[in-house]
Amino acid sequence: TSKPDELRAFFRDKLGFPFTDVGHGWLIFDLPEADLGCHPAEDVDGGRSGTPHISFYCDDIHKTVAELKSRGVEFTEAVHDAGYGFVTHFKVPGEFEVQLYQPKYEKRRHPRS
């Protein structure tokens, strides 16, 4: 991001992610569960190969959107059905958007080892 301090504060204050301050304002966020999806990309509409895309998922998208809006998070579209889940996007510092979705598929929970 072009605005690392602002983005860290956004994740800390608006999204409420737990973190460790490792010094000089460098926050490491504890996000224990993650998914990785590999999507096809064409060099159109910002879909060039190697472009990362950040998504967060939740159990109840309408409740989560309402909570995040109350913290000042700005959403760029209404929740809609994208096939794999109910989806919306919100703005973050650094001039990009993050996807928030409620999956329609069952998430597998893996114990940490």
Side-chain angles (χ1 to χ4, degrees):
T1 178
S2 59
K3 298 180 179 180
D5 292 335
E6 293 173 31
L7 186 57
R8 290 179 193 126
F10 182 90
F11 286 155
R12 179 193 65 214
D13 301 337
K14 303 230 186 239
L15 300 187
F17 290 160
F19 65 91
T20 299
D21 187 336
V22 296
H24 307 288
W26 193 273
L27 307 181
I28 303 298
F29 296 92
D30 181 15
L31 305 176
E33 187 174 325
D35 293 339
L36 172 65
C38 299
H39 301 269
E42 298 295 326
D43 197 13
V44 293
D45 298 326
R48 115 187 113 71
S49 183
T51 304
H53 179 81
I54 299 173
S55 299
F56 296 117
Y57 66 86
C58 60
D59 294 327
D60 183 334
I61 196 162
H62 296 289
K63 179 180 175 183
T64 302
V65 166
E67 182 179 330
L68 293 177
K69 281 183 175 180
S70 76
R71 296 182 194 167
V73 175
E74 182 182 347
F75 285 82
T76 61
E77 63 186 358
V79 174
H80 63 279
D81 188 337
Y84 61 91
F86 300 100
V87 176
T88 187
H89 289 83
F90 58 89
K91 291 183 180 182
V92 298
E95 314 312 321
F96 66 98
E97 295 181 6
V98 170
Q99 177 181 264
L100 176 67
Y101 76 102
Q102 178 183 331
K104 289 183 176 180
Y105 58 91
E106 186 174 333
K107 303 274 303 155
R108 294 184 187 175
R109 305 288 185 206
H110 299 284
R112 290 181 132 180
S113 50

